[in-house]
Each structure stands twice: as structure tokens, then as C-alpha cells.
Amino acid sequence: MFVDQVKIDVQAGHGGNGMVAFRREKYVPNGGPAGGDGGRGGNIIFKVDSGMSTLMDFRYHRKFKAKNGGNGANKSMTGRSAEDTIVPVPEGTTVTDTETGRVIGDLVKPDQELVVAKGGRGGRGNIHFASPTNPAPEIAENGEPGQAVSLSLELKVLADVGLVGFPSAGKSTLLSVITSAKPKIAGYHFTTLVPNLGMVRLDDGRDFAVADLPGLVAGASKGVGLGFQFLRHVERTRVILHLVDMSGVEGRDPYADYQAINQELTQYDPDILKRPQIIVATKMDLPDSQANLTKFKDELAAHKSDDQIVHDVLPISSVTHSGLQELVRKTADLLAEAQPEETVVPQDHPKTYEFDGTHEPDFKITFDKEIESWVISGDKIEKLFKMTDTAHDQSMLRFARQMRGMGIDDALRKAGAKDGDTVTILDYSFTYVE
């Protein structure tokens, strides 16, 4: 089954917890802090697998979770860092953050990698918190939470040349005679239900990939017919072969069909028609094709505007193989002149827990009447709390100082909090004291 769009959830590993420990050796009096750091959590990494041609594997596996880092140990031993989770994806996969709609990366090269969710760093052990005023601190950090992200994956077939046209225009037949591909061919509409790929090799050593895309119909860009599902695959092609049926056996007007397909492509992406294009007049072995071709060329000339790009019209017959060599050669020539497609440079996922002044504030305070409690929320404060070791009083006092430094105490007071009120962060509640 061909699948080219999926939504998945990924969870990077949490960092390991730091440890509170002290040296307890026989001949070392007054041993100092010796709690080790936690290990780094595993990243979620997408890696291009050239052997994949569909996103089918994600149809039944939609959640990916990396391992957490190991906890720190005594004697200042650092916990084990978790291995990254590698997720194979096919070439041509575009990764988008479902929440923000931002494109994270475009994976188009073999073995290309993209970090889509970063693992959390390990928490620091108490050896990092020793000071002249507190030489034996009972303070350690829990590991940083790993990033959790919802992603949309979209596969766009990687092909140099795209075949577009109405159903039964002869796209599959052309692909079968100029490549070794074996698409399903029949005398009814919508025979092609998925994109088919084939390689064309010329005698002079040049070669290129051709994609036979499911037939478009009027209204495809608005969701009519099958073409809407596959218009995205046209985006990556550098040359378009626009196939127009010249036989007229179904009473269709070739020029009207040509205009209708161009209209759908323009509505989907106005830049598509700026790419090199060859108009391929198909089925020239049938009786009325030559007359229809002459009429088609006349209408092209009559409706041409001053700023319109003039495309070559090449008559072919996939049955008799006439005109195929010239078509293949001219297509290769256009590819040599066409600019390579610009792709999105892969980058690490932009979402972070830190406040950068462009999104929401560091924290938000609301009053929940159901639980009769003030609720503090926000990425930054929630992260700090998750990294606080609540089992040790000194760690909780450190968290209280962090809250005060962020201005949460003042904000609670301004919001109307009084002595004895309950304050909740995530699943932890405490009493507010002036």
C-alpha cells in the first residue's frame, strides 16, 4: 500500500537524575559530596533509508520513544547516556511540526539525518553544589525532560520529470515504454492509483527519473478526484511532461483539457508552471489525431499572451514508438538546463523549554475553583520543577529561590493569594506563605 502522509508522536529520552552522595571511606575524614551526574537522554533521529518508498511503516507504528539516561551514582560516577533512536524514512520526506506548522527538515539525500526531538541533559549531582558556605549540600537535579513533539510526515516522490495530464492521456503507457517500470494500464479512468517511478537511460550515458502521477481532473486542487492527493509529488519535479490526448475518441477537446490541467497546477502552486515543460501530444497513431493536433497548435498560438512561456509540442505514439527518442532527448536537455530544486536545510528542532520573549511568558497563574488552588503553569517553571529533587529539603529550598527570582511570589501576591492558600505545579501542591 502506498502511504504518503502520516502523523506521529515522538518522545525523546529524559536525562538521568543526579545523585546526592558523600564519600564514606575509612581513612578520609569529613568526606565531601560525591554524587554523580545523570546521563543524557536519547535523541529521536530520522535517517533516510533508500530502500523505503512509502510511509506505510508509520501506519501502524505512530509513537516513538527514546530511552532515558542512567542515573548518577556515588563516587562521582556519571550515569550512562542513552543511545539515540534511529527512525528510517524514505527519500523525499518532509517533516513538519503539527502544532506550529513549521517545516523542521526536508530529507532528500541517502543516509541524511535529522534530529527531530532532543534528549534531556542529565541532572547534576551534589558535587556541583558545594560551596564555602555549604560544603556538604544535599542538592541534586533530576534529569531534564526530553522533547515531546507531534509531527506530520509527507512524502513527495523524488523524480526529475513528472507526467501530468487527464486520466487515460497515456501517462502509464508512456512510462512503460521509455522505462522498465510496469504500471497497471487499462482503458478506463483512474487506472493509476499511486505514483509510479521509472528510470530513463539514454545511449549517451544520461539518465533521469520519471514519475507517472495519478490523473488530474477539473477541481483537483480543491479536492476533486484522485489528483489532489498526489499534486504534492509534482513539487519536486524539475521538468513537466504535459500529456494531452489528441485522439478525441471520447469527444474531449485537447486544448480545453490542456488549459484545465494548467489551471489546477496554478491553483495548487503558481510557480509550477514556471518550470520547463513539454507538451506531449499522445495517441498520434489514431485516425483523427493529426487534425486535432493542428487545431490544438492553432488555438495555442491564438491564445498566447506576451508574457506566456512558449512550450514545445512533441507528437508521439507509445504504441508505434514514434517520436519517443526525440522526446527523451529533449527532456534530458531541459533537465541539464533546469536549476536544481532548493531544499530546506535540515536543522535541529526549534522548540525549546527556554523563554525567548517571542512566545508565551515564563509562567501563568490561574485559580482552579474545582480544586480550590492557585495553578502555576508554563514551560520554563514546569521544567525547573521536573528537574528538582523533591526528596531533599535543600533542593526544594533552591526551587523556592528560583521561583522568587522569576517573580512568581510577587505575581501570586498580586493575583490575590493569601497565607494558607494551596498552590499547585503539575501534580505537586504546597501551601503559600507570605
Side-chain angles (χ1 to χ4, degrees):
M1 183 182 297
F2 183 81
V3 178
D4 59 356
Q5 279 185 313
V6 293
K7 291 183 178 180
I8 64 172
D9 297 313
V10 297
Q11 169 69 65
H14 302 321
N17 298 336
M19 187 176 189
V20 173
F22 298 92
R23 295 182 66 183
R24 301 185 184 279
E25 300 172 34
K26 185 174 182 180
Y27 298 106
V28 183
N30 303 321
D37 301 341
R40 177 185 63 83
N43 299 320
I44 302 286
I45 299 176
F46 286 174
K47 184 176 181 179
V48 173
D49 181 351
S50 299
M52 296 178 66
S53 58
T54 172
L55 297 174
M56 181 64 187
D57 291 351
F58 296 93
R59 174 66 68 89
Y60 305 107
H61 187 183
R62 294 180 181 269
K63 294 186 178 180
F64 297 85
K65 186 176 182 180
K67 293 182 178 180
N68 299 332
N71 294 333
N74 56 9
K75 297 184 180 180
S76 303
M77 290 189 292
T78 301
R80 181 189 296 272
S81 293
E83 293 184 0
D84 296 333
T85 297
I86 306 297
V87 181
V89 296
E91 288 182 71
T93 301
T94 300
V95 185
T96 305
D97 186 327
T98 305
E99 182 181 344
T100 64
R102 186 181 188 279
V103 175
I104 298 172
D106 210 7
L107 298 166
V108 296
K109 298 179 181 179
D111 298 324
Q112 186 177 344
E113 294 185 354
L114 173 67
V115 178
V116 295
K118 286 185 176 180
R121 68 171 176 84
R124 293 177 292 174
N126 67 333
I127 57 174
H128 295 281
F129 298 96
S131 67
T133 57
N134 188 9
E138 293 188 2
I139 301 175
E141 289 179 335
N142 291 336
E144 181 184 28
Q147 289 182 324
V149 193
S150 293
L151 301 174
S152 296
L153 307 186
E154 186 176 65
L155 175 62
K156 300 175 184 178
V157 170
L158 286 176
D160 302 304
V161 179
L163 306 181
V164 301
F166 266 82
S168 295
K171 299 185 299 297
S172 297
T173 306
L174 175 61
L175 184 71
S176 68
V177 296
I178 63 175
T179 74
S180 57
K182 303 298 180 186
K184 183 178 180 182
I185 301 171
Y188 53 87
H189 292 180
F190 299 119
T191 308
T192 303
L193 301 179
V194 301
N196 292 304
L197 280 173
M199 286 297 297
V200 176
R201 291 180 174 82
L202 282 70
D203 295 337
D204 57 12
R206 292 183 293 176
D207 57 27
F208 54 86
V210 182
D212 162 26
L213 306 177
L216 304 180
V217 295
S221 59
K222 298 179 181 178
V224 178
L226 294 175
F228 174 74
Q229 304 174 38
F230 303 106
L231 272 169
R232 72 180 68 89
H233 298 295
V234 184
E235 293 179 24
R236 295 200 190 276
T237 59
R238 291 188 291 146
V239 172
I240 295 175
L241 299 186
H242 190 153
L243 275 63
V244 183
D245 182 357
M246 290 295 167
S247 66
V249 292
E250 297 181 359
R252 305 187 65 89
D253 180 3
Y255 184 76
D257 286 354
Y258 171 73
Q259 290 290 79
I261 296 299
N262 279 345
Q263 182 65 23
E264 297 307 320
L265 293 175
T266 301
Q267 290 183 2
Y268 180 76
D269 183 356
D271 291 332
I272 288 181
L273 291 186
K274 296 178 182 178
R275 301 178 191 180
Q277 182 180 138
I278 298 176
I279 303 171
V280 184
T282 64
K283 305 184 183 181
M284 293 303 297
D285 54 295
L286 297 180
D288 297 329
S289 296
Q290 189 58 52
N292 290 333
L293 176 59
T294 302
K295 180 182 176 184
F296 178 82
K297 288 182 177 180
D298 291 341
E299 289 187 280
L300 271 182
H303 293 89
K304 179 188 175 300
S305 59
D306 293 337
D307 58 346
Q308 186 175 352
I309 301 174
V310 178
H311 300 301
D312 290 337
V313 180
L314 295 183
I316 68 161
S317 169
S318 297
V319 175
T320 65
H321 292 197
S322 66
L324 296 185
Q325 289 299 320
E326 183 182 5
L327 173 62
V328 169
R329 181 181 55 78
K330 285 198 172 185
T331 302
D333 292 341
L334 282 180
L335 278 172
E337 300 171 2
Q339 294 294 325
E341 180 202 7
E342 293 184 4
T343 58
V344 178
V345 177
Q347 53 187 303
D348 286 344
H349 195 276
K351 289 181 66 177
T352 66
Y353 292 97
E354 298 298 332
F355 175 60
D356 61 6
T358 58
H359 297 92
E360 60 182 56
D362 289 10
F363 60 87
K364 182 171 63 174
I365 297 177
T366 57
F367 186 79
D368 191 325
K369 294 183 179 180
E370 290 188 9
I371 61 175
E372 293 291 326
S373 174
W374 296 95
V375 178
I376 302 174
S377 59
D379 284 346
K380 184 173 182 178
I381 186 61
E382 289 175 6
K383 174 195 168 184
L384 288 174
F385 178 74
K386 289 176 181 178
M387 295 183 68
T388 298
D389 182 1
T390 57
H392 291 87
D393 291 341
Q394 288 189 22
S395 292
M396 291 302 296
L397 288 173
R398 176 173 178 262
F399 178 66
R401 291 194 297 271
Q402 290 172 325
M403 290 178 60
R404 189 178 302 114
M406 291 176 63
I408 293 178
D409 286 8
D410 293 338
L412 281 169
R413 192 177 301 111
K414 291 179 180 178
K418 300 177 181 178
D419 270 349
D421 284 358
T422 302
V423 179
T424 300
I425 299 178
L426 296 175
D427 57 352
Y428 187 88
S429 297
F430 57 91
T431 302
Y432 175 75
V433 179
E434 281 279 1

